[in-house]
Amino acid sequence: MTDIVESPEVTTLLDELTRLPGRDDPYPRYRRLREISPVVRAEDGALVVTRHADCVAVTRHPKLGHMPSHMMEFVRPDWDRHPALQQLFTSILAINPPDHTRLRRLVSSSFTARRVQALQPRIAQMVEELLEPMSGEVDFVQAFGFPLPVNVIGELLGIPEPDRAQFQTLVRDWTQVLEVISPEVLATADPAAATIRSYLAGLAAERRRKPGDDLISALVAAEEDGEKLTEDELLTMAALLFAAGFETTTNLLGNSVVSLLRNPDQLELLRMQPGLAASAVEELLRFDTPVQLLSRVAWDDIEIAGVPVSGGERIVAYLGAGNRDPERFTDPDRLDLARPDNAPLSFGGGIHYCLGAPLARLEAQIAIPALLARFPGLALAGEPGRRDSLAIRGYTSVPVTVG
């Protein structure tokens, strides 16, 4: 039986990860936590795992799940009167079976691999349209990293092109509650969530009157075993798909470009061998994943990494640490686009595996080789601006010279 380690060093390392200097390069801290113990305890009582095998176990264990919505009352008694919290914590991202099973089945019947693959020509066209005007010094995030995924998920859902750009600020304001729930955060998150929902309600009503060949129309019509999405479920699902559809992919693209520019041998390898795109995207996801951690609650007494976990305890799995575990990946701190067997933890696992993973992969597989082919002189033009977030890793700006 493994003992749970609590020590001043563990407290210091975990505290550093909550602040921007520690988040800028969290990987040495992950490495040290892994060396100290497979399982450590944070000051708030949560158990933290950093090994690959233990992260996998957390994502797949049948007795680990999300905090039941009724327990949100202990976090904030009025949570269901805040649009930002209600819209997030009743979504498929945060609920458990059997509701999760029913909703995922309904959405999966519409959000199919065939629908995603059908977007491939349109994604390639969007990539070319975004690359065409880029010249001189540009901010990669604003010029490409944000507009590509927001237009792809907008196209998929059926959101008119002129309406898409407004959602970057709205989604970021809303999803602040994933990091901190405070009066200051809710003051901007609540109106943002309400605006997103109001817009999608109008769009769904229009699709009921006049269905199209888009995911909103498909969700309106989705039916499995006589069950359909309620209006509330439909709007919550559409909001989540839209937010997740561009936020994570924007960070994937930004992280990938910075990683490649800081590893020019690998950038040149991909430029010369664009057929490596699928393997390259997996390795880029592993090397610097946009989703650094996930949290679960034990529904019963279980064991993780040889440690007894009591029902009700919270476990945090640092996916970014698991992706750099030397027990799983040889020389894990090296970017190797041709690395065999490099499947990352980045999209989670088990019943909560990310629905949008195939779409994110497809976008990156098309976009990154096209970017490198178009701009042989691509280079950093300054220090990238780091997003101040613990769970979501990305950049607010990536200044580059395209030539």
Side-chain angles (χ1 to χ4, degrees):
M1 195 70 72
T2 305
D3 292 328
I4 300 174
V5 173
E6 300 176 70
S7 73
E9 185 180 7
V10 166
T11 300
T12 297
L13 288 166
L14 293 174
D15 180 63
E16 287 174 351
L17 289 169
T18 68
R19 291 180 278 118
L20 190 54
R23 293 170 180 172
D24 189 51
D25 184 9
Y27 299 107
R29 293 166 179 83
Y30 294 158
R31 186 186 314 122
R32 181 58 189 144
L33 285 169
R34 211 169 33 239
E35 291 168 353
I36 293 170
S37 176
V39 186
V40 298
R41 191 181 295 278
E43 278 195 309
D44 64 0
L47 302 179
V48 176
V49 301
T50 49
R51 296 192 311 191
H52 183 278
D54 301 330
C55 289
V56 170
V58 169
T59 65
R60 296 180 180 176
H61 201 293
K63 291 186 178 180
L64 288 173
H66 294 293
M67 180 188 297
S69 59
H70 68 270
M71 289 183 65
M72 279 295 295
E73 295 175 4
F74 297 102
V75 178
R76 190 175 181 95
D78 64 345
W79 74 275
D80 57 349
R81 294 193 291 278
H82 286 275
L85 301 179
Q86 200 276 340
Q87 189 158 274
L88 189 64
F89 291 103
T90 60
S91 75
I92 197 172
L93 184 70
I95 62 173
N96 299 302
D99 288 337
H100 176 275
T101 308
R102 179 180 63 84
L103 288 178
R104 189 170 180 113
R105 186 174 66 246
L106 283 166
V107 176
S108 296
S109 69
S110 302
F111 194 2
T112 61
R114 182 179 178 182
R115 186 180 291 274
V116 169
Q117 283 301 316
L119 280 171
Q120 187 166 351
R122 184 70 181 108
I123 294 172
Q125 181 184 353
M126 290 180 188
V127 167
E128 291 306 314
E129 289 171 352
L130 289 169
L131 293 176
E132 183 63 34
M134 290 171 62
S135 65
E137 185 176 321
V138 299
D139 178 358
F140 173 78
V141 173
Q142 294 303 317
F144 191 93
F146 164 67
L148 177 65
V150 81
N151 278 298
V152 170
I153 193 64
E155 188 93 0
L156 180 69
L157 289 170
I159 294 172
E161 189 169 350
D163 295 348
R164 296 170 189 170
Q166 64 179 311
F167 286 95
Q168 181 179 28
T169 302
L170 290 171
V171 166
R172 288 200 173 164
D173 285 348
W174 168 35
T175 56
Q176 287 180 95
V177 295
L178 286 170
E179 299 281 338
V180 178
I181 299 174
S182 68
E184 294 76 19
V185 166
L186 289 171
T188 55
D190 278 341
T195 299
I196 293 169
R197 193 176 191 84
S198 175
Y199 176 90
L200 291 171
L203 188 61
E206 184 180 327
R207 293 297 184 266
R208 282 193 175 88
R209 292 191 300 270
K210 188 179 179 182
D213 185 23
D214 56 69
L215 188 54
I216 294 284
S217 298
L219 290 174
V220 167
E223 184 173 342
E224 283 281 321
D225 299 327
E227 292 189 340
K228 299 191 71 170
L229 294 170
T230 66
E231 176 74 3
D232 188 58
E233 290 169 344
L234 171 66
L235 298 180
T236 298
M237 182 64 69
L240 178 67
L241 289 174
F242 192 52
F246 79 79
E247 185 74 352
T248 305
T249 309
T250 292
N251 294 321
L252 166 59
L253 294 172
N255 292 356
S256 296
V257 166
V258 173
S259 294
L260 288 168
L261 290 172
R262 288 176 174 169
N263 292 271
D265 62 319
Q266 295 301 296
L267 183 151
E268 192 58 28
L269 175 66
L270 183 55
R271 176 178 284 134
M272 299 304 294
Q273 299 183 40
L276 275 177
S279 171
V281 169
E282 296 305 284
E283 176 69 356
L284 290 161
L285 280 162
R286 182 201 67 81
F287 187 74
D288 199 18
T289 179
V291 180
Q292 289 285 306
L293 63 86
L294 56 78
S295 177
R296 296 287 186 264
V297 174
W299 295 339
D300 202 348
D301 294 349
I302 61 169
E303 188 177 291
I304 293 287
V307 171
V309 179
S310 301
E313 283 198 279
R314 188 165 69 95
I315 302 180
V316 177
Y318 272 94
L319 306 181
N323 279 337
R324 297 279 190 107
D325 184 351
E327 291 186 10
R328 173 63 180 81
F329 301 104
T330 303
D331 198 4
D333 294 325
R334 181 170 65 91
L335 182 67
D336 178 5
L337 301 187
R339 182 188 298 272
D341 191 23
N342 60 356
L345 295 166
S346 308
F347 294 113
I351 63 171
H352 293 288
Y353 186 78
C354 176
L355 271 170
L359 181 59
R361 284 185 165 111
L362 180 63
E363 289 179 60
Q365 288 167 11
I366 295 171
I368 295 172
L371 175 74
L372 301 185
R374 174 64 70 94
F375 302 121
L378 184 70
L380 284 172
E383 190 62 26
R386 170 68 61 193
R387 176 176 175 168
D388 189 6
S389 171
L390 177 62
I392 305 298
R393 181 167 170 80
Y395 294 98
T396 55
S397 63
V398 177
V400 295
T401 301
V402 296

